[in-house]
Amino acid sequence: MASRSSLSYSARAELHSHLVAKKLFGIAEAKQSNLIISADFTDAKNQLECADALGLYIAVFKTHLDILHDFNEATAEGLKALAIKHNFLIFEDRKFINIGNAAQKQDIVNVSILAGEGVVEAMSQIITSKSFAFSKDRALLLLAEMTTAGSLATGSYTEKCIEIARQYPATVIGFVATRALTASDASSEAQDEDFLIFATGVNQIAKGDSLGQQYQTPSAAVKGRSDFIIAGRGIYASTDPIASAKMYQREGWQAYQERIQHGNSVLKQ
């Protein structure tokens, strides 16, 4: 049997137990896009304009609401309306470390285990609580790797993320990482798992920046068994953000198709 990452998104949607993962796979297939735009704006107007302009080409809109100097309820409602209009999910890149409440208008939030497993337990309790109205429509990602030079999110830290994720299948759907983290061979314990990988640090041209950021191309990320590619400045800071988004979308989708075709050929051998 091929690993889950070798299957199509639609096949994985049928097999996955989490509604958010199922919905995301469905969006990706419908829009032929595994692109996530990282919208690192500091004002709500630019963020909403970005979501509206690029919404057709993305599967997920990633926010940093804590850096918006004018964030308010209207901003959150505006993002949610655009998510419905253009059919994308919202991922709040808050990197929760201390115990805190899940943002109610984000489909996905990410968590760092730097402070231990407690933060995952706390947020899982919130999400699965009967009093939480959105319990079936919210999910967590664990921050397992980072793309900055000298990052300490490696080795035992990353392995601990995998260990913790396996303990919370009702809430944790995957990882922010640079590559697939679980084994892909048919005999591994990971065979029945399907952790989604959101690949960070994706850029078609640049190799890095002056602050230690390191990039990989959309094709390299997807062929490395990442499921969704996160790109920011390479798209929204380009001279033509829409054209750039289309290019990233095409490259990421082509790499995905090549990956599942390879998986099908392995099954036939």
Side-chain angles (χ1 to χ4, degrees), residues 12-84:
R12 291 170 70 183
E14 292 182 6
L15 294 169
H16 212 287
S17 61
H18 203 290
L19 292 180
V20 173
K22 287 177 178 290
K23 185 175 181 180
L24 181 51
F25 285 138
I27 289 172
E29 285 282 11
K31 300 178 78 171
Q32 295 191 351
S33 178
N34 47 29
L35 177 61
I36 300 172
I37 181 68
S38 180
D40 301 332
F41 296 101
T42 58
D43 65 283
K45 180 176 181 293
N46 280 326
Q47 186 169 75
L48 292 172
E49 288 179 350
C50 178
D52 200 14
L54 304 183
L56 286 174
Y57 317 108
I58 63 173
V60 179
F61 189 78
K62 184 169 80 71
T63 60
H64 269 297
L65 299 182
D66 53 331
I67 67 173
L68 290 178
H69 65 79
D70 56 350
F71 174 77
N72 54 33
E73 186 67 16
T75 308
E77 293 296 342
L79 282 174
K80 197 63 179 177
L82 290 171
I84 295 170

Side-chain angles (χ1 to χ4, degrees), residues 4 11-23 25 135-136 138 168-173 192-196:
R4 293 282 180 92
R12 291 170 70 183
E14 292 182 6
L15 294 169
H16 212 287
S17 61
H18 203 290
L19 292 180
V20 173
K22 287 177 178 290
K23 185 175 181 180
F25 285 138
S135 60
K136 295 182 179 180
R138 300 295 182 262
Y168 295 91
T171 52
V172 178
I173 61 170
D192 293 328
E193 296 175 342
D194 194 0
F195 290 120
L196 282 67

Side-chain angles (χ1 to χ4, degrees), residues 148-149 208-213 233:
T148 48
D209 66 13
S210 61
L211 297 178
Q213 176 68 288
R233 285 170 286 178

Side-chain angles (χ1 to χ4, degrees), residues 8 11 20 27-28 41 80 83 93 108 115 122 136-137 144 146 167 196 208 218 225-226 250 268:
S8 68
V20 173
I27 289 172
F41 296 101
K80 197 63 179 177
D93 191 6
I108 302 168
K136 295 182 179 180
D137 301 313
M146 298 183 72
Q167 297 174 28
L196 282 67
R225 294 196 297 125
S226 293
R250 284 195 298 269
K268 293 176 181 178

